[in-house]
Amino acid sequence: YRPLTDDKLLATQCPDVTPFRENGVATDIKITIDKKEEDLRRQTADSSLYCLSNLFEIAVNDSIFEQPAFRFHLHKNKNEPGLLSVLDVSFLPRGEHRLFIRKLKEHADAEKADGKHTAAMEDYIGILFWIE
């Protein structure tokens, strides 16, 4: 998740969703606990996560995974925030395979006089793996 670029995409893809994370200084200190406020934060996080997951397309070889379940995750290396998903690849035969992740990227439309932006899926990362 990259707030500077992804927040703009999230705003166009899911205009009713408020970003779960904002740029700036934050603290985890809570003064009061309000059940309604906590429920609202959880709903906001769930809708943000769903919208954020729509920025990605995951495929193994030529099989696209339809809406894999994502969750927010802090990596053990320096508590780096990110998304985590577990994919069932039991259908794959023994051998080498390729995991492809594509990400929605916004482009300024140079040909249009109104300067509107369009978004399209682009290759983001590819990972080779082997199944025994």
Side-chain angles (χ1 to χ4, degrees), residues 13-31:
Q13 299 299 311
C14 305
D16 296 335
V17 174
T18 304
F20 181 69
R21 181 176 167 194
E22 296 179 6
N23 289 326
V25 178
T27 180
D28 290 334
I29 298 172
K30 292 184 181 180
I31 305 301

Side-chain angles (χ1 to χ4, degrees), residues 9 55 103-107 118-122:
L9 278 172
L55 299 183
K103 186 175 181 188
L104 196 63
K105 187 171 181 186
E106 190 176 49
H107 299 279
T118 57
M121 286 288 182
E122 290 189 357

Side-chain angles (χ1 to χ4, degrees), residues 20 30 32-48:
F20 181 69
K30 292 184 181 180
T32 61
I33 297 176
D34 181 356
K35 175 120 175 73
K36 289 181 183 178
E37 182 180 328
E38 194 63 31
D39 288 344
L40 180 61
R41 283 183 51 80
R42 186 173 291 113
Q43 289 173 357
T44 300
D46 290 345
S47 57
S48 294

Side-chain angles (χ1 to χ4, degrees), residues 63-89:
S63 298
I64 295 175
F65 285 85
E66 296 296 326
Q67 285 298 339
F70 285 99
R71 62 181 178 251
F72 291 113
H73 177 72
L74 285 177
H75 195 279
K76 291 179 183 179
N77 180 33
K78 299 181 184 178
N79 286 328
E80 298 163 321
L83 297 177
L84 179 69
S85 183
V86 177
L87 306 173
D88 180 5
V89 293

